[in-house]
Structure formats: structure tokens, C-alpha cells
Amino acid sequence: MDKTKQKKLAAAGFRTGDAKDFLGLTDEEAAFVELKLALADFMRDVRVEHGWTQTHVARLIGSSQSRVAKMEAADASVSIDLLVKSLLALGATRKQVGQVISRAA
Amino acid sequence: MDKTKQKKLAAAGFRTGDAKDFLGLTDEEAAFVELKLALADFMRDVRVEHGWTQTHVARLIGSSQSRVAKMEAADASVSIDLLVKSLLALGATRKQVGQVISRAA
DNA sequence: GACGCATATGTCGTATCTGACATATCGTGT
DNA sequence: ACACGATATGTCAGATACGACATATGCGTC
């Protein structure tokens, strides 16, 4: 597993290296986490491409800078609902969201 | 708006015909609801194609029949997280989920 | 190395989602 | 008309996600 992904999975609430994950992380769970990471990355891409700060994005979507940071980090406390709603609020289309999810890691 | 979609939007917690919706339902909100409806429909398709009852699906995903019914109805109380997790647990792939979301209504 | 700005992390009270249960409605066979 | 399996709807206590705030870390510029 490459280091970047490992770091992100860790941030998402899964620690690589302890027994539970290697033994118990099912295919669905892995797919779910990667799907969430893809949305989080896309969220950051959209923001950076517009040259926006996290604080500005927070204003646009009616949230706070800290939550935006957690969204981009795919923190365990952020839902896919929030990511999708936020992306749509930032101007992404439903089609784009679907494509981001479809794309293989 | 066709009657079927109208009924579903209503079930999803939006009542057509009152002022708030026609005045205040933004494009993002509409896109979000339709995205959720697409997942709900897909959930039903997967179940029916396998010839499963809602009770059986509930067992497979560790939930209850009533929640499965609400998922398929895109009830306001079900999250996209739950829909996606459930679909993955039923054997749908991340790619399929993305395609369902991408597809236009 | 102090300042300013952007991003990350921790915590908290409240709001929303969850599975479960009860119960209602539908559909179909007898 | 009745029974019965499947699906829908209402409700609730506990679980989880939310925005907000405080604070920490990074990172250029002076």
C-alpha cells in the first residue's frame, strides 16, 4: 500500500497496522472508505482550482473552517451526505460526483 | 412534473405545492434529492433482481425491515451514507454506485 | 524569531440518523 | 370474507454527525 493512501486511511479513522483492520476490514468497508476519500480529494480539488481558502468555502456552504478541513481529510466524523451536499453547493454537478465515485482508486 | 416523481419527492420530505418548495428549493437541493432517489431506486432494483424480501435484506445489512422500506422510499430520515453502505453490502460495486449517481433523471 | 494567514486537531452541546418495535396497509390465494 | 406474507408508516431511546469555538501547526515575509 502506498504511503499517501495509508496516511489518508488513518485520517479517516482506520489505523493500518493494528489487528482489527487487517483481519476485519471487509471489502465493503474498504470500498466505502475509498469512496469517501475520492469525494474528499475532489472537494479539495474544486476548492484549490477556484483559489478559495477553507474559510471561504465554509462561508459558501454554511459551515466552519474546521469542518471543511475535516471534509478534505475524510475525517471519520464527516458523512457522505455532507460531502455531496457541499460539492453540489460549490457548483459540482451530480454527474461529476458520480464520475468521481466511479473512478477506480 | 410527472406524478411518480412528485410522489417520491413528497416521500423524501418535500411537499410539492407549498410555498417553501417552489420558492426555496434550490438547484443543489433538488439535485441532492434526486441523487438520493436514484440510489433508493437502485437499492430496490438490486433487491428485486435477487428475489429478496425487505426482511431478508435487513438481515444481510444488519438492519430492520422498516428501515429498508424507508431506504427504498428515500425517506427523509435515511442518509446517503446508509444507502451507499447498504448497497455495497448487497454486492454492488463502487463503480455501479457512481454510475447510478451520474445517470440523469 | 515574531508576525500574519492558512490549515489541522480536539472538544462540546445540539441536531439528526439509527435500529427496533408496533401497527397499518397492500396483495393474493383460498 | 379471511388469513398471511410483504411492505409501509409512526414512534422512540441511543448513537452519530453537525457547526462552532479554541488551539495547534505549518509557512512564507519581514
Side-chain angles (χ1 to χ4, degrees), chain A residues 63-64 66-67 70 77-79 82:
Chain A
S63 184
S64 60
S66 60
R67 192 135 293 275
K70 282 165 192 175
S77 80
V78 322
S79 68
L82 183 62

Side-chain angles (χ1 to χ4, degrees), chain A residues 1-45:
Chain A
M1 178 183 281
D2 81 272
K3 292 288 180 184
T4 306
K5 178 175 290 182
Q6 188 170 353
K7 181 164 175 288
K8 287 183 173 176
L9 288 170
F14 290 84
R15 288 191 304 162
T16 55
D18 66 24
K20 180 174 184 302
D21 295 333
F22 275 112
L23 295 176
L25 194 65
T26 67
D27 288 349
E28 306 103 81
E29 288 169 338
F32 182 78
V33 172
E34 295 206 352
L35 186 156
K36 194 162 147 181
L37 286 170
L39 289 174
D41 286 349
F42 184 47
M43 182 105 188
R44 169 152 303 185
D45 291 345

Side-chain angles (χ1 to χ4, degrees), chain B residues 63-64 66-67 70 77-79 82:
Chain B
S63 184
S64 61
S66 60
R67 192 133 294 273
K70 282 164 194 176
S77 80
V78 322
S79 68
L82 184 62

Side-chain angles (χ1 to χ4, degrees), chain B residues 15-57:
Chain B
R15 286 190 304 162
T16 56
D18 66 23
K20 181 174 183 302
D21 294 335
F22 275 111
L23 296 175
L25 193 65
T26 67
D27 288 350
E28 305 103 80
E29 288 169 339
F32 182 78
V33 172
E34 296 205 353
L35 187 156
K36 193 161 146 181
L37 286 170
L39 288 174
D41 286 349
F42 184 47
M43 181 105 188
R44 169 152 303 184
D45 290 346
V46 169
R47 177 176 68 83
V48 171
E49 276 172 17
H50 284 86
W52 292 333
T53 66
Q54 290 181 346
T55 301
H56 182 66
V57 167

Side-chain angles (χ1 to χ4, degrees), chain A residues 41-54 56-57 60-61 72 86-93 96:
Chain A
D41 286 349
F42 184 47
M43 182 105 188
R44 169 152 303 185
D45 291 345
V46 169
R47 177 176 68 83
V48 171
E49 276 173 17
H50 284 85
W52 292 333
T53 66
Q54 290 181 348
H56 181 66
V57 167
L60 292 178
I61 67 181
E72 294 184 357
S86 300
L87 283 168
L88 294 174
L90 294 183
T93 64
Q96 285 177 305

